[in-house]
Amino acid sequence: MDGNPRHGVLPDGPDTAGTLSGAASRPAGTPKAVGIVWALLGLNTLGSAGAKTIVALPRSLIQMVTMGALAAAFALALMLNLRLRIRASAFVFLLSLLLVPSVISSANLEVGFGALFRCARLALFVGTLWLLSRWWDGSLTFVRHHVRMYFAVLGSVAAGLVVSPGTALPEYYGGRLVGALWPLTPPQIGQYAAVIIGLTVLLVLGRRVDRTSAAVVIVASLVLLALTHTRTATLGLLLGLALAIGSLILTSSAARRFFTWAVLCATVAAVVFSSALQAWFLRGQSKENFSNLTGRAKVWDALLAAPRTTSEYLFGTGLGDKSFGGLPIDNSWLAVYNEQGLIGVALVAAFIIVLGGVALLRPPSLSRACAIFLISYVAISSYTEAGLGDASPYLLHLALAASLLAAPAADTPLTKAAPLTTSAVPRQRIPRWARNREVN
């Protein structure tokens, strides 16, 4: 792997141990406002339905804020990229193709005019990603934007927990942590915490963040993750980190040390705290309820057994609220099958396979490890969470992975080669005695 022979990671910039602000590691030519666009995209994907908040927020107001954030993100990205310079991206291209079955199925209005509204939202989301692709160069710039954005969201969750613990740990969610200031569900909070922890751990291994600020982020996020009792996020974090760190083991001594200590600590914890871990994992559920994935399996069986027309098989029934029979589907693949048909499933599988394939072909690096973590986490979460067929945090995670796997800007057609100047060519020194000598 190209990089520091001591740590096995090549710095993105002159500073190899900065803070999470990452000003020194931001590539030249990347405007600071790009981080604002990324944050606005994240705000749009927070959703408008969830737990009860301290101050009741009308759903119409929340939708106005989230959709306004998306419109503002697109407008700001367009202002930053007026020349419409974009980079080739197989991920965003396949995501654009996903609009085709979405529009075809939604045009039937089987699920109402809301389907067309969701199509427009997805189109704006994809368009903003195209505009941002200009600055995708394989650096860690967007990783820092991602961590700061979701850590701010977790900060609001922590503030709600301090202000009103009863609202933040409600009985109707079994005492699991929810958003008391903004309506966030336990799986959402668990997802944000797990992604932040994984990315920050990798930044620490690559010496891209100081350990004090990283410890604050990791410890605070771990506490919130534990309070959510989210099993999918926890498994995604552990397995995703294992794969990501495994990709660095051969080239990074820091990764080898961390992996060794992590395995040792996990083994000791599994032996000493086995009963406590089992109780946390089961969340007071019976083994039968756990085997049915908290009732998800019944919804999945009903969805697959429902009769469908040929058009619905191919294109689905239109973008909806990811539910079937009034119950959440909680599976990305079945939700895409229900709303965008088999064509949608094929496109979603294609962009995940493409990202995974590119990650495997890239040489070991910190950017590649972060991308592997994100792709693995999304793939694992897709079994019990929906969102791969519509604008969601999962698509934003994959977009971040695509930015990490992009080739450096100097290797793309968008960057013109610097003109060859005379100063760049070393001049041959001619001895003085030979300058006036005639050639016979």
Side-chain angles (χ1 to χ4, degrees):
M1 180 182 71
D2 297 334
N4 191 320
R6 180 178 178 183
H7 301 289
V9 178
L10 179 65
D12 287 337
D15 184 14
T16 60
T19 63
L20 284 176
S21 61
S25 65
R26 186 177 59 252
T30 302
K32 293 182 179 180
V34 167
I36 300 176
V37 176
W38 198 258
L40 290 172
L41 287 178
L43 176 58
N44 173 255
T45 60
L46 292 183
S48 59
K52 297 178 181 178
T53 55
I54 299 173
V55 178
L57 300 175
R59 186 174 182 182
S60 57
L61 175 62
I62 298 176
Q63 290 177 333
M64 186 183 303
V65 171
T66 55
M67 284 306 301
L70 179 58
F74 180 80
L76 182 55
L78 188 60
M79 291 175 60
L80 295 172
N81 193 2
L82 287 175
R83 295 185 179 182
L84 301 181
R85 298 181 65 188
I86 62 176
R87 295 196 57 177
S89 172
F91 166 73
V92 186
F93 174 71
L94 291 170
L95 194 57
S96 303
L97 290 183
L98 189 61
L99 283 168
V100 176
S102 302
V103 173
I104 291 176
S105 58
S106 299
N108 295 326
L109 300 179
E110 185 175 338
V111 293
F113 285 97
L116 294 178
F117 177 81
R118 292 183 178 91
C119 287
R121 175 181 177 235
L122 180 59
L124 273 180
F125 185 86
V126 175
T128 306
L129 292 181
W130 274 122
L131 293 172
L132 291 180
S133 67
R134 173 183 178 179
W135 295 284
W136 292 0
D137 56 1
S139 69
L140 299 174
T141 302
F142 286 89
V143 172
R144 299 181 185 277
H145 294 328
H146 212 65
V147 172
R148 290 198 301 268
M149 170 184 66
Y150 282 126
F151 191 67
V153 175
L154 293 184
S156 70
V157 174
L161 177 62
V162 172
V163 173
S164 180
T167 305
L169 299 169
E171 290 297 330
Y172 59 85
Y173 264 115
R176 300 170 65 190
L177 181 64
V178 300
L181 300 180
W182 186 276
L184 298 174
T185 61
Q188 285 180 282
I189 300 172
Q191 174 195 167
Y192 305 151
V195 169
I196 286 176
I197 294 168
L199 292 177
T200 306
V201 167
L202 293 174
L203 289 177
V204 171
L205 292 179
R207 299 191 61 171
R208 305 303 174 86
V209 60
D210 65 272
R211 295 185 178 182
T212 302
S213 58
V216 172
V217 172
I218 293 173
V219 172
S221 301
L222 274 173
V223 172
L224 296 181
L225 175 60
L227 291 175
T228 62
H229 284 242
T230 306
R231 296 174 295 219
T232 300
T234 304
L235 289 176
L237 169 63
L238 297 177
L239 295 178
L241 265 183
L243 293 174
I245 296 174
S247 69
L248 294 172
I249 282 182
L250 297 179
T251 53
S252 171
S253 58
R256 289 192 292 271
R257 289 194 300 269
F258 181 86
F259 187 81
T260 302
W261 280 105
V263 171
L264 180 62
C265 293
T267 303
V268 173
V271 174
V272 177
F273 304 105
S274 59
S275 59
L277 291 174
Q278 184 179 5
W280 182 90
F281 200 78
L282 289 176
R283 295 197 312 234
Q285 298 174 344
S286 63
K287 293 184 178 180
E288 181 181 358
N289 194 18
F290 177 75
S291 63
N292 288 329
L293 296 173
T294 322
R296 291 185 178 97
K298 297 179 180 179
V299 180
W300 299 348
D301 293 339
L303 188 153
L304 293 173
R308 290 176 175 269
T309 64
T310 302
S311 176
E312 290 174 343
Y313 269 119
L314 295 177
F315 302 105
T317 60
L319 292 183
D321 58 358
K322 312 299 177 286
S323 65
F324 181 79
L327 297 174
I329 297 175
D330 286 341
N331 181 289
S332 286
W333 302 100
L334 291 179
V336 171
Y337 168 71
N338 183 53
E339 297 182 355
Q340 290 137 313
L342 294 176
I343 294 179
V345 172
L347 290 172
V348 170
F351 62 63
I352 290 182
I353 292 173
V354 166
L355 286 175
V358 173
L360 292 177
L361 294 176
R362 287 282 187 269
S365 67
L366 182 58
S367 295
R368 174 187 183 237
C370 291
I372 289 175
F373 167 74
L374 292 167
I375 297 168
S376 304
Y377 181 87
V378 171
I380 294 167
S381 300
S382 66
Y383 185 66
T384 57
E385 297 290 337
L388 286 180
D390 204 349
S392 68
Y394 294 106
L395 288 187
L396 206 56
H397 300 332
L398 293 179
L400 175 58
S403 75
L404 291 167
L405 296 173
D411 297 336
T412 65
L414 288 184
T415 304
K416 297 181 180 180
L420 187 63
T421 61
T422 55
S423 61
V425 181
R427 300 181 62 181
Q428 183 178 4
R429 185 176 181 274
I430 302 175
R432 180 175 295 180
W433 61 268
R435 293 178 183 175
N436 297 325
R437 184 176 180 180
E438 294 183 358
V439 179
N440 295 327

